[in-house]
């Protein structure tokens, strides 16, 4: 995601950091490199021209903040302008409180990912406590309704198919069906085409007129690049959509489409799809995305992800660990928590410089490492997992054979467990009878942070 653009911009700023004072020539060189970086990222050339002109004007005329170096001032200007380009502030999905059901209509070209996006949006709304229903109004693409029904079944959301012939009638019937079954949101999946044509556009207009949606969202393939401009402009004129869902953003190293769409249409990006799983649809935060593009990470996003996946029993688990020690089952529980957050690769990518570090390491192989750890732990008996101290040399050899790993790898895992258990002993000593409840709570929270509860491996590293 934005890999090449992020690398080019980071390199440009690195060159500026070595200068004590920036001249106008330095600014011109930096702006030229930024222009080339954006064009190579397939950003619309008019957008690039306006963006660079604004950045240059601000760099040459803005007051220099005394708390920042000259190079940092340039970075701040580019960050501010990039945030503005992406949308300035978060644009939330607006649903009416006095209407049931709310109707959300998805439009876009064939292959843009509308059907998958519809299911992901339904999953997100369901997690927020709503009761969504999907309407299969793509009557032109073979098996489109079957695909939507399969996706709906996977996430436990009903799909209304109707007679499968008249898209406008199906949309209206789906709304009535939602009323009958007390569902509060209907997501209408419409047909797409290989290119913009009059039949598709008129059908979308007719559906919109029939169900009067509260929100019309256009699903756009991020890999479309600056060609996206022609597509969204046509849809904006005919269906007047309210926002964009950017699909397949995780598969686009350039990101030109995401940087062009709002500047050209004025329509905000509301969601981005960052993977194939139902929970991979994320609310789009322009400021956080701008920081990630500039290699500054998204620490707030990490915190929110951890909070969203927090286990209510985590504090109880921590107290049990203090009494009984850290077990191999606890290590398995941590790895499950990491997966809930999207995996180590996602977490690392949200750290400052994390995306670049991942690429330099040749990609994220931590999932494979975690599977190796799991295979070793699952080769232990129930008693061994609960009381790792009982695992002697003979048992380690048996576990290694059973898991298909070497004794050395088993030893490394045991060493990691030993370090964690030692830390437990220290904390147990700190939380003696003399400490009050407030102190204990604070110490428990610090212990959970050190252990990586809600994200991270014990000690912040992998056993091997």
């Amino acid at each position: 995601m934005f890999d090449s653009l992020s690398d080019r911009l980071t390199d440009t700023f690195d060159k500026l950091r070595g200068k004590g004072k920036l001249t106008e020539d330095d600014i011109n060189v930096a702006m030229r490199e930024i222009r080339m970086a954006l064009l190579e990222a397939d950003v619309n050339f008019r957008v690039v021209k306006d963006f660079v002109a604004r950045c240059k004007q601000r760099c040459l005329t803005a007051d220099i903040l005394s708390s920042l170096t000259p190079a940092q001032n340039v970075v701040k200007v580019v960050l501010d302008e990039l945030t503005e380009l992406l949308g300035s502030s978060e644009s939330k999905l607006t649903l009416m409180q006095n209407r049931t059901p709310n109707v959300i209509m998805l439009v876009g070209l064939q292959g843009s990912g509308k059907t998958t996006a519809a299911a992901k949006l339904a999953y997100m709304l369901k997690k927020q406590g709503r009761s969504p229903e999907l309407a299969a109004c793509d009557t032109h693409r073979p098996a489109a309704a079957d695909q939507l029904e399969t996706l709906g079944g996977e996430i436990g959301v009903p799909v209304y198919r109707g007679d499968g012939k008249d898209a406008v009638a199906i949309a209206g019937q789906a709304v009535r069906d939602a009323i009958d079954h007390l569902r509060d949101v209907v997501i209408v999946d419409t047909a797409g085409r290989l290119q913009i044509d009059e039949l598709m556009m008129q059908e979308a207009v007719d559906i919109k007129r029939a169900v009067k949606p509260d929100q019309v969202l256009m699903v756009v393939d991020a890999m479309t690049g600056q060609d996206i401009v022609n597509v969204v402009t046509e849809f904006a004129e005919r269906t007047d959509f309210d926002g964009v869902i950017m699909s397949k953003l995780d598969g686009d190293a350039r990101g030109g489409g995401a940087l062009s769409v709002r500047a050209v249409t004025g329509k905000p990006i509301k969601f981005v799809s960052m993977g194939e799983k139902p929970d991979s649809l994320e609310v789009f935060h322009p400021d956080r995305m701008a920081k990630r593009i500039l290699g500054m990470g998204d620490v707030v996003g990490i915190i929110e992800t951890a909070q969203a996946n927090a286990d209510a029993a985590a504090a109880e688990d921590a107290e049990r660990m203090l009494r009984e020690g850290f077990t191999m089952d606890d290590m398995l529980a941590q790895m499950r928590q990491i997966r809930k957050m999207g995996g180590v690769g996602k977490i690392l990518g949200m750290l400052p410089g994390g995306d670049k570090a991942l690429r330099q390491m040749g990609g994220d192989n931590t999932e494979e490492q975690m599977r190796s750890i799991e295979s070793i732990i699952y080769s232990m008996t129930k008693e061994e997992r609960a009381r790792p101290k009982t695992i002697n040399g003979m048992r380690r050899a048996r576990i290694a054979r059973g898991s298909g790993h070497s004794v050395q790898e088993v030893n490394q895992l045991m060493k990691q467990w030993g370090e964690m258990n030692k830390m437990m002993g220290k904390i147990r000593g700190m939380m003696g009878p003399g400490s009050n409840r407030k102190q204990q709570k604070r110490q428990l929270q610090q212990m959970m942070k050190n252990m990586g509860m809600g994200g991270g491996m014990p000690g912040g590293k992998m056993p091997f």
Side-chain angles (χ1 to χ4, degrees):
M1 179 182 65
F2 298 107
D3 294 346
S4 58
L5 175 60
S6 182
D7 287 346
R8 285 289 302 269
L9 293 178
T10 301
D11 291 343
T12 300
F13 298 140
D14 286 344
K15 293 174 184 176
L16 294 177
R17 289 190 180 98
K19 298 179 180 291
K21 184 178 181 180
L22 298 182
T23 66
E24 184 172 347
D25 286 342
D26 293 329
I27 299 295
N28 288 334
V29 170
M31 292 302 115
R32 186 161 57 248
E33 292 187 3
I34 290 172
R35 181 188 301 110
M36 290 304 300
L38 291 170
L39 290 173
E40 288 177 8
D42 208 17
V43 181
N44 179 266
F45 73 95
R46 290 192 182 90
V47 174
V48 173
K49 181 180 178 182
D50 293 342
F51 177 84
V52 173
R54 288 195 305 272
C55 287
K56 181 178 178 179
Q57 180 67 19
R58 284 191 56 187
C59 286
L60 292 174
T61 61
D63 294 332
I64 301 299
L65 299 178
S66 58
S67 59
L68 301 178
T69 66
Q72 288 172 337
N73 274 278
V74 174
V75 174
K76 183 182 183 305
V77 167
V78 175
L79 175 62
D80 291 345
E81 290 297 330
L82 195 55
T83 303
E84 181 68 28
L85 181 66
L86 287 167
S88 182
S89 60
E90 175 191 341
S91 178
K92 295 183 179 180
L93 184 67
T94 304
L95 298 178
M96 305 297 293
Q97 299 296 325
N98 57 354
R99 180 187 181 188
T100 302
N102 277 258
V103 179
I104 302 171
M105 177 179 168
L106 303 189
V107 298
L109 295 183
Q110 183 174 321
S112 61
K114 284 192 311 303
T115 301
T116 306
K120 290 177 180 179
L121 183 58
Y123 182 78
M124 175 183 285
L125 292 171
K126 184 180 179 182
K127 284 184 66 178
Q128 294 173 358
R130 293 187 172 272
S131 178
E133 176 174 315
L134 291 160
C137 296
D138 184 351
T139 59
H140 301 271
R141 180 167 62 90
D146 293 336
Q147 180 191 1
L148 189 62
E149 193 158 46
T150 299
L151 293 171
E154 291 175 356
I155 60 175
V157 172
V159 176
Y160 187 85
R161 300 181 59 154
D163 61 7
K165 297 177 181 178
D166 187 340
V168 179
I170 294 170
Q173 292 162 8
V175 173
R176 289 190 289 274
D177 183 72
I179 294 172
D180 293 342
H181 292 88
L182 302 179
R183 298 188 180 106
D184 56 6
V185 181
V186 175
I187 301 172
V188 179
D189 177 31
T190 64
R193 292 290 183 279
L194 294 175
Q195 66 281 325
I196 299 170
D197 62 37
E198 182 57 31
L199 176 63
M200 180 193 71
M201 297 305 301
Q202 189 57 49
E203 184 176 84
V205 171
D206 291 343
I207 292 175
K208 181 179 179 181
R209 187 180 297 119
V211 298
K212 297 178 175 59
D214 302 276
Q215 291 274 291
V216 178
L217 302 179
M218 181 174 179
V219 181
V220 174
D221 184 341
M223 292 185 280
T224 306
Q226 64 173 301
D227 288 342
I228 196 174
V229 172
N230 298 327
V231 176
V232 295
T233 302
E234 180 71 17
F235 272 95
E237 291 175 357
R238 295 298 299 273
T239 61
D240 190 29
F241 61 88
D242 301 286
V244 171
I245 297 178
M246 190 69 66
S247 68
K248 309 175 190 176
L249 191 60
D250 56 315
D252 182 22
R254 298 180 301 175
L259 291 169
S260 302
V261 62
R262 185 184 179 277
V264 172
T265 67
K267 305 296 183 180
I269 301 173
K270 290 183 178 284
F271 301 99
V272 290
S273 178
M274 303 294 291
E276 296 297 326
K277 296 181 180 179
D279 62 354
S280 62
L281 191 69
E282 301 176 4
V283 174
F284 182 70
H285 301 276
D287 54 338
R288 300 184 195 176
M289 186 60 71
K291 288 179 180 178
R292 287 192 67 175
I293 292 172
L294 298 184
M296 299 176 184
D298 179 13
V299 178
V300 175
I302 295 177
I303 294 170
E304 289 183 351
T305 303
Q307 290 174 338
N309 291 283
D311 188 348
E316 294 179 14
D317 287 341
E319 291 187 39
R320 174 188 55 74
M321 290 179 209
L322 284 174
R323 291 193 309 270
E324 305 171 9
F326 183 74
T327 71
M328 290 297 177
D329 286 322
D330 294 324
M331 191 173 285
L332 287 174
Q334 284 193 26
M335 289 190 287
R336 283 194 291 270
Q337 197 70 17
I338 290 170
R339 286 196 176 97
K340 282 184 182 179
M341 292 179 66
V344 176
K346 178 179 177 181
I347 299 169
L348 182 57
M350 297 169 80
L351 291 171
D355 284 323
K356 189 171 185 178
L358 264 179
R359 294 194 297 277
Q360 290 174 343
M361 291 187 295
D364 178 22
N365 65 343
T366 49
E367 180 64 31
E368 182 180 341
Q369 292 177 331
M370 285 197 289
R371 283 197 296 268
S372 295
I373 297 169
E374 286 176 335
S375 67
I376 292 174
I377 296 176
Y378 284 131
S379 294
M380 300 174 184
T381 65
K382 185 177 180 180
E383 181 186 357
E384 287 169 343
R385 292 202 300 271
R387 299 174 58 205
K389 284 185 179 181
T390 64
I391 303 176
N392 56 24
M394 290 181 60
R395 292 187 180 213
R396 293 186 188 198
R398 190 205 78 238
I399 292 167
R401 289 194 301 272
S403 64
H405 291 85
S406 67
V407 174
Q408 182 183 12
E409 289 171 328
V410 177
N411 289 340
Q412 287 175 330
L413 179 59
M414 294 303 301
K415 181 181 178 182
Q416 189 76 12
W417 169 81
E419 292 174 359
M420 290 306 308
N421 213 38
K422 195 179 296 182
M423 189 177 75
M424 286 290 172
K426 291 179 181 179
I427 297 174
R428 190 157 43 238
M430 291 165 54
M431 296 181 64
S435 59
N436 60 40
R437 186 72 180 170
K438 191 172 183 180
Q439 288 174 323
Q440 290 180 351
K441 183 177 180 182
R442 186 166 57 249
Q443 289 162 345
L444 271 174
Q445 289 172 335
Q446 183 60 43
M447 179 201 72
M448 291 166 68
K449 178 181 177 183
N450 292 339
M451 289 174 56
M453 295 296 286
M457 288 299 296
K461 53 188 175 182
M462 302 296 288
F464 50 84

